[in-house]
Structure formats: C-alpha cells, structure tokens
Amino acid sequence: LETRPELVAMTTHGQGGLSRFVRGGVAERVLRACPVPLLMVNPHSQAPTRLARMLVALDGSKESEQILEVVIPLAKRVGARVTVLY
C-alpha cells in the first residue's frame, strides 16, 4: 500500500513577527521540506466554491516552472484560467 501523498494541503496560522521568530513557522518548515506539491490556505480567507482563476508566480528558474506540470492539468480539469506572473 502506497502512503506517499501526491499533494499536501494545510492551513497557516498567519503568525508573524516575534511569535513566528521565537517558535518558528511550521508551515514554512513543511514548505521547505515537502517533496510533493504543497497547498497552503489562509484560514481567515473565504474558500472558493469553484476555481475560475489561478495565479502562478514564477521566478525564472527551471524549478519554479515545474509547478506548471501540476497547475495546467488541474486548471483544465476544473475549467480555470491560469495567469502566470513572472
């Protein structure tokens, strides 16, 4: 039985400043160590009922472009428009 996930989804506490510095950001540690795509959601924002638009931020590196392999099929599946920000 394969237990490795294809996607990790989690919320963030949205803490910043001294609190985050002292305790460290769990979401940031997961982000840096996660070997699969990671979906982080702000728990204070309203979750969409459907996805119509997706924004993908790229920094010009080949690593950042790898997200397109995940986003484009997902966008096609849900009928969303993708905007790439470079």
Side-chain angles (χ1 to χ4, degrees):
L1 178 67
E2 180 64 43
T3 58
R4 180 181 166 144
E6 295 172 346
L7 174 75
V8 172
M10 63 184 291
T11 60
T12 63
H13 286 253
Q15 294 175 337
L18 186 58
S19 174
R20 181 174 178 193
F21 178 75
V22 171
R23 290 187 293 197
V26 172
E28 186 169 333
R29 289 194 306 257
V30 172
L31 171 64
R32 298 199 183 282
C34 193
V36 297
L38 175 64
L39 173 64
M40 288 190 191
V41 176
N42 179 340
H44 306 294
S45 64
Q46 185 175 4
T49 55
R50 69 178 196 85
L51 296 174
R53 296 175 307 279
M54 299 170 77
L55 175 66
V56 178
L58 302 178
D59 65 7
S61 68
K62 290 292 181 190
E63 291 82 8
S64 71
E65 292 175 8
Q66 291 177 354
I67 192 62
L68 295 173
E69 296 172 10
V70 175
V71 170
I72 291 172
L74 175 60
K76 286 180 180 178
R77 203 170 313 135
V78 299
R81 185 177 73 217
V82 176
T83 299
V84 177
L85 176 65
Y86 175 75

